[in-house]
Amino acid sequence: MSKIRVDYLNFHPNYKVCQHEDMYHFNSDTCLLGEFININKNDNVLDVGTNNGALLVYIIKKGGVATGIEINKDALEIAKLTLKENNIDATLINHDFTTWQDDIKFDVIVCNPPYFNTKDDRKKNVNKNICIARHEDYLPLDLLCYHFTKHLKENGKIFMVHRPNRFDDINNQLNKNNLYIDKYQHVYDKNTNKLRSLLLEISFIKKDYEKLPDKYI
C-alpha cells in the first residue's frame, strides 16, 4: 500500500482519488470530462474503463447512480479505495467492455478511452497497466462505438473525451452505429494556444452538431 497515494480532483478539494505510482493517473482530460458530463439525479450511468474511479466520483457527486466497468483487475482495486475514501458506493465490474453480455441499458455512458491506435509495439508503454489505459489494443474505437449501442437507452447520452485529431475517425465510427455527435468542444492550452482535447456529447438522434465555445485551461 506504500505506493498508493490520495490526490484531489481539480477545483474539488473534497473529491479524492487513490492512485498507484506504477499505474495510470488521472489527468486534465479526466477533470474536463468530469465537468462536461450532464446527468439528472438518479440517472443510471456507466463509466467505461473506470480505472481508478475518478469519473465515478464526479458521477455520484452529480447525483447519478454509477457503474464502472474495467478490464484491469488491479485498477479496479484502486477504484474500490477511491470509493471508500469518498464514502460513496458504485457497482464495479471486472470485464472487457467489448465482450460484456449484460442486457442492462444506461441513461448515460461516460468514457475516457485509450486514445492511441499505435501499431508499432516498440512505441507502446512497457508497463502493461499504463499500456491498457493509453493504447487501443484492448478497446479499439470501432468496437467501443459498437458496444455503446448495446448499453445505451434509446434517449440516452454518451459523454467522451478524446484527441482532436481523431474527430473524423470518431464521427465515422459513431455514424456506422447510428450514433451522432450532438455537441463538441475544443480545449486549448491557454499558455500555448495549442489544441489539446476534444469533448463530445453523443446520442442516437441525428441532427446538425453544435460546436460549443472553445475552452482554455
PDB file of all heavy atoms in Angstrom, residues 131-145:
ATOM      1  N   CYS A 131      -0.223   0.761 -20.524  1.00  0.00           N
ATOM      2  CA  CYS A 131      -0.487   0.420 -21.927  1.00  0.00           C
ATOM      3  C   CYS A 131      -1.983   0.189 -22.153  1.00  0.00           C
ATOM      4  O   CYS A 131      -2.554   0.659 -23.147  1.00  0.00           O
ATOM      5  CB  CYS A 131       0.312  -0.815 -22.321  1.00  0.00           C
ATOM      6  SG  CYS A 131       0.214  -1.222 -24.088  1.00  0.00           S
ATOM      7  N   ILE A 132      -2.623  -0.536 -21.258  1.00  0.00           N
ATOM      8  CA  ILE A 132      -4.063  -0.811 -21.384  1.00  0.00           C
ATOM      9  C   ILE A 132      -4.855   0.489 -21.391  1.00  0.00           C
ATOM     10  O   ILE A 132      -5.821   0.635 -22.146  1.00  0.00           O
ATOM     11  CB  ILE A 132      -4.541  -1.720 -20.224  1.00  0.00           C
ATOM     12  CG1 ILE A 132      -3.975  -3.137 -20.402  1.00  0.00           C
ATOM     13  CG2 ILE A 132      -6.059  -1.771 -20.154  1.00  0.00           C
ATOM     14  CD1 ILE A 132      -4.235  -4.042 -19.214  1.00  0.00           C
ATOM     15  N   ALA A 133      -4.435   1.442 -20.569  1.00  0.00           N
ATOM     16  CA  ALA A 133      -5.177   2.696 -20.435  1.00  0.00           C
ATOM     17  C   ALA A 133      -4.927   3.667 -21.581  1.00  0.00           C
ATOM     18  O   ALA A 133      -5.787   4.506 -21.881  1.00  0.00           O
ATOM     19  CB  ALA A 133      -4.812   3.367 -19.105  1.00  0.00           C
ATOM     20  N   ARG A 134      -3.787   3.546 -22.248  1.00  0.00           N
ATOM     21  CA  ARG A 134      -3.418   4.548 -23.256  1.00  0.00           C
ATOM     22  C   ARG A 134      -3.571   4.085 -24.699  1.00  0.00           C
ATOM     23  O   ARG A 134      -3.785   4.905 -25.598  1.00  0.00           O
ATOM     24  CB  ARG A 134      -1.969   4.998 -23.026  1.00  0.00           C
ATOM     25  CG  ARG A 134      -1.762   5.802 -21.766  1.00  0.00           C
ATOM     26  CD  ARG A 134      -0.307   6.150 -21.566  1.00  0.00           C
ATOM     27  NE  ARG A 134       0.249   6.927 -22.665  1.00  0.00           N
ATOM     28  CZ  ARG A 134       0.164   8.261 -22.750  1.00  0.00           C
ATOM     29  NH1 ARG A 134      -0.457   8.942 -21.803  1.00  0.00           N
ATOM     30  NH2 ARG A 134       0.702   8.897 -23.762  1.00  0.00           N
ATOM     31  N   HIS A 135      -3.449   2.787 -24.934  1.00  0.00           N
ATOM     32  CA  HIS A 135      -3.448   2.277 -26.310  1.00  0.00           C
ATOM     33  C   HIS A 135      -4.691   1.431 -26.589  1.00  0.00           C
ATOM     34  O   HIS A 135      -5.210   0.767 -25.699  1.00  0.00           O
ATOM     35  CB  HIS A 135      -2.175   1.460 -26.561  1.00  0.00           C
ATOM     36  CG  HIS A 135      -0.914   2.258 -26.376  1.00  0.00           C
ATOM     37  ND1 HIS A 135      -0.409   3.088 -27.342  1.00  0.00           N
ATOM     38  CD2 HIS A 135      -0.082   2.369 -25.307  1.00  0.00           C
ATOM     39  CE1 HIS A 135       0.692   3.667 -26.894  1.00  0.00           C
ATOM     40  NE2 HIS A 135       0.910   3.249 -25.662  1.00  0.00           N
ATOM     41  N   GLU A 136      -5.137   1.439 -27.838  1.00  0.00           N
ATOM     42  CA  GLU A 136      -6.425   0.864 -28.200  1.00  0.00           C
ATOM     43  C   GLU A 136      -6.449  -0.668 -28.297  1.00  0.00           C
ATOM     44  O   GLU A 136      -7.474  -1.225 -28.674  1.00  0.00           O
ATOM     45  CB  GLU A 136      -6.903   1.438 -29.537  1.00  0.00           C
ATOM     46  CG  GLU A 136      -7.445   2.840 -29.439  1.00  0.00           C
ATOM     47  CD  GLU A 136      -8.093   3.297 -30.739  1.00  0.00           C
ATOM     48  OE1 GLU A 136      -8.295   2.460 -31.644  1.00  0.00           O
ATOM     49  OE2 GLU A 136      -8.400   4.481 -30.860  1.00  0.00           O
ATOM     50  N   ASP A 137      -5.376  -1.329 -27.979  1.00  0.00           N
ATOM     51  CA  ASP A 137      -5.307  -2.782 -28.139  1.00  0.00           C
ATOM     52  C   ASP A 137      -6.495  -3.495 -27.487  1.00  0.00           C
ATOM     53  O   ASP A 137      -7.056  -4.436 -28.042  1.00  0.00           O
ATOM     54  CB  ASP A 137      -4.013  -3.332 -27.525  1.00  0.00           C
ATOM     55  CG  ASP A 137      -2.769  -2.770 -28.186  1.00  0.00           C
ATOM     56  OD1 ASP A 137      -2.661  -1.522 -28.239  1.00  0.00           O
ATOM     57  OD2 ASP A 137      -1.910  -3.539 -28.636  1.00  0.00           O
ATOM     58  N   TYR A 138      -6.875  -3.038 -26.289  1.00  0.00           N
ATOM     59  CA  TYR A 138      -7.932  -3.712 -25.535  1.00  0.00           C
ATOM     60  C   TYR A 138      -9.300  -3.048 -25.706  1.00  0.00           C
ATOM     61  O   TYR A 138     -10.301  -3.599 -25.264  1.00  0.00           O
ATOM     62  CB  TYR A 138      -7.568  -3.746 -24.044  1.00  0.00           C
ATOM     63  CG  TYR A 138      -6.373  -4.616 -23.747  1.00  0.00           C
ATOM     64  CD1 TYR A 138      -5.087  -4.084 -23.754  1.00  0.00           C
ATOM     65  CD2 TYR A 138      -6.521  -5.978 -23.466  1.00  0.00           C
ATOM     66  CE1 TYR A 138      -3.973  -4.882 -23.485  1.00  0.00           C
ATOM     67  CE2 TYR A 138      -5.420  -6.770 -23.191  1.00  0.00           C
ATOM     68  CZ  TYR A 138      -4.155  -6.219 -23.204  1.00  0.00           C
ATOM     69  OH  TYR A 138      -3.062  -7.008 -22.946  1.00  0.00           O
ATOM     70  N   LEU A 139      -9.324  -1.881 -26.337  1.00  0.00           N
ATOM     71  CA  LEU A 139     -10.591  -1.185 -26.526  1.00  0.00           C
ATOM     72  C   LEU A 139     -10.534  -0.367 -27.821  1.00  0.00           C
ATOM     73  O   LEU A 139     -10.498   0.860 -27.803  1.00  0.00           O
ATOM     74  CB  LEU A 139     -10.891  -0.271 -25.326  1.00  0.00           C
ATOM     75  CG  LEU A 139     -12.303   0.312 -25.229  1.00  0.00           C
ATOM     76  CD1 LEU A 139     -13.361  -0.786 -25.186  1.00  0.00           C
ATOM     77  CD2 LEU A 139     -12.426   1.214 -24.008  1.00  0.00           C
ATOM     78  N   PRO A 140     -10.548  -1.047 -28.967  1.00  0.00           N
ATOM     79  CA  PRO A 140     -10.497  -0.344 -30.253  1.00  0.00           C
ATOM     80  C   PRO A 140     -11.712   0.559 -30.434  1.00  0.00           C
ATOM     81  O   PRO A 140     -12.813   0.244 -29.981  1.00  0.00           O
ATOM     82  CB  PRO A 140     -10.509  -1.486 -31.279  1.00  0.00           C
ATOM     83  CG  PRO A 140     -10.080  -2.704 -30.522  1.00  0.00           C
ATOM     84  CD  PRO A 140     -10.574  -2.508 -29.122  1.00  0.00           C
ATOM     85  N   LEU A 141     -11.503   1.672 -31.119  1.00  0.00           N
ATOM     86  CA  LEU A 141     -12.565   2.655 -31.286  1.00  0.00           C
ATOM     87  C   LEU A 141     -13.802   2.069 -31.958  1.00  0.00           C
ATOM     88  O   LEU A 141     -14.931   2.375 -31.561  1.00  0.00           O
ATOM     89  CB  LEU A 141     -12.038   3.845 -32.097  1.00  0.00           C
ATOM     90  CG  LEU A 141     -13.017   4.986 -32.336  1.00  0.00           C
ATOM     91  CD1 LEU A 141     -13.467   5.616 -31.029  1.00  0.00           C
ATOM     92  CD2 LEU A 141     -12.375   6.042 -33.241  1.00  0.00           C
ATOM     93  N   ASP A 142     -13.612   1.227 -32.962  1.00  0.00           N
ATOM     94  CA  ASP A 142     -14.778   0.671 -33.669  1.00  0.00           C
ATOM     95  C   ASP A 142     -15.616  -0.218 -32.753  1.00  0.00           C
ATOM     96  O   ASP A 142     -16.849  -0.142 -32.751  1.00  0.00           O
ATOM     97  CB  ASP A 142     -14.350  -0.079 -34.926  1.00  0.00           C
ATOM     98  CG  ASP A 142     -13.371  -1.216 -34.656  1.00  0.00           C
ATOM     99  OD1 ASP A 142     -12.732  -1.236 -33.584  1.00  0.00           O
ATOM    100  OD2 ASP A 142     -13.242  -2.106 -35.533  1.00  0.00           O
ATOM    101  N   LEU A 143     -14.951  -1.029 -31.938  1.00  0.00           N
ATOM    102  CA  LEU A 143     -15.690  -1.894 -31.015  1.00  0.00           C
ATOM    103  C   LEU A 143     -16.309  -1.091 -29.883  1.00  0.00           C
ATOM    104  O   LEU A 143     -17.404  -1.403 -29.413  1.00  0.00           O
ATOM    105  CB  LEU A 143     -14.760  -2.971 -30.448  1.00  0.00           C
ATOM    106  CG  LEU A 143     -14.282  -4.033 -31.442  1.00  0.00           C
ATOM    107  CD1 LEU A 143     -13.368  -5.030 -30.743  1.00  0.00           C
ATOM    108  CD2 LEU A 143     -15.457  -4.761 -32.079  1.00  0.00           C
ATOM    109  N   LEU A 144     -15.618  -0.054 -29.443  1.00  0.00           N
ATOM    110  CA  LEU A 144     -16.167   0.814 -28.402  1.00  0.00           C
ATOM    111  C   LEU A 144     -17.492   1.414 -28.860  1.00  0.00           C
ATOM    112  O   LEU A 144     -18.500   1.352 -28.148  1.00  0.00           O
ATOM    113  CB  LEU A 144     -15.168   1.923 -28.073  1.00  0.00           C
ATOM    114  CG  LEU A 144     -15.630   2.996 -27.093  1.00  0.00           C
ATOM    115  CD1 LEU A 144     -15.898   2.407 -25.719  1.00  0.00           C
ATOM    116  CD2 LEU A 144     -14.596   4.115 -26.999  1.00  0.00           C
ATOM    117  N   CYS A 145     -17.506   1.977 -30.064  1.00  0.00           N
ATOM    118  CA  CYS A 145     -18.721   2.611 -30.576  1.00  0.00           C
ATOM    119  C   CYS A 145     -19.828   1.586 -30.790  1.00  0.00           C
ATOM    120  O   CYS A 145     -21.007   1.863 -30.496  1.00  0.00           O
ATOM    121  CB  CYS A 145     -18.412   3.341 -31.886  1.00  0.00           C
ATOM    122  SG  CYS A 145     -17.315   4.762 -31.678  1.00  0.00           S
TER     123      CYS A 145
END
